[in-house]
Amino acid sequence: MLRKKLIVLSVMTSLTLSGCSKNESVSDIEETNNDISVEATEAPIAPEQEAVISEEENLIIPEDKPDLVHYTVPGGEYSEQCGFKDEAGDVVVKAEYDFCGGFNEGMAYLLKKNMKSDSDGGYYIGYANSSGEIVIPVDIAADYGWMLDARDFSEGLVAVLKKDKWGYMDKKGNTIIPFEYETASDFSNGLATVSKDYKYGAINHNGKKIIALKYGHLGEFEEGLAAFNSVDSDKQGFINTKGNVIVDPVWNQAMPFSEGLAAVAKGDYENAKWGFIDTTGQVVIEPKYDYVSIDPGGDSPDVIGGYFKNGTIEVYQEDENGQVTAITIDKNGKELKHKNYENFSGVLDEMYN
């Protein structure tokens, strides 16, 4: 899978486990790393903004733009509509949108229900800059059915879907890369992964094909490497930004690199064991863990975890009764902490509460 920010317009209904690639998911219930909040009343409020809160409004300081305030008023598809105010409390983007993203690279997405759509997931999407200007009008039909994929800007461009084809726009609303791809990732390491006719490759900021569209799948580049498999095999390895094979495709599953290591698995989907390799393909931690990430299930395609952060990662073992042990390990595989749960729902409950 390609890493991307997703808004899933339904409540999580089940729990499964997966080794899929990293995504950041936003659903009806607020999850970690959110850019927006449907339940805005639960978001933290900065003390310096308390004076401008009324009974009908809740103010949220966007993560990376503290001088614009995300505010909501009653109404809209989810009982609230959102917009932005400046630090003086003056409205710069009127609260008339169903979802408002956080600011990334000085840009935030805006979503408004498409009342003409036959789909529950039918929305219009556009983008505002940090001055409150709607630089990409909220008139791009984003009818995705059950799932709505609203992207943030990355490396100066944003992936946008128009009429079932992906392309890229800049911060002035200009189309930089034509709308011609079936799938498109965010830019990372100067490249974006795209596909046509079910074959994957990579393009640069100008839309030039740097890696030919010839793979059965190609992940997003992280730390200069991306997981791939050929069209005639499901086995995964890693290529660099020049398309050279760095890690031979011998793994049944693979996740992107983080802090110099990538999670890889041997065995079929149900019985795979996970370990970690370095950027040369050498096994650093032998495959022995049942899971390295959690899939919250339902309509969300995202997984939680699977990446080292500050030198540690949480991996999981599940016994025959469904009881789960969460194990914190370091980059050498040393087990630093164990914590037991009745099941994976218990792990998720602790994460969200």
Side-chain angles (χ1 to χ4, degrees), residues 106-118:
M107 302 288 287
Y109 58 74
L110 303 168
L111 295 167
K112 192 173 183 66
K113 179 67 177 176
N114 180 358
M115 303 307 295
K116 297 179 182 179
S117 172
D118 294 330

Side-chain angles (χ1 to χ4, degrees), residues 258-289:
S258 60
E259 299 186 5
L261 298 180
V264 291
K266 282 283 190 181
D268 62 51
Y269 186 82
E270 294 295 329
N271 301 296
K273 293 294 183 181
W274 288 83
F276 295 85
I277 60 172
D278 65 18
T279 55
T280 70
Q282 181 177 349
V283 175
V284 176
I285 301 172
E286 291 291 336
K288 62 180 179 179
Y289 297 105

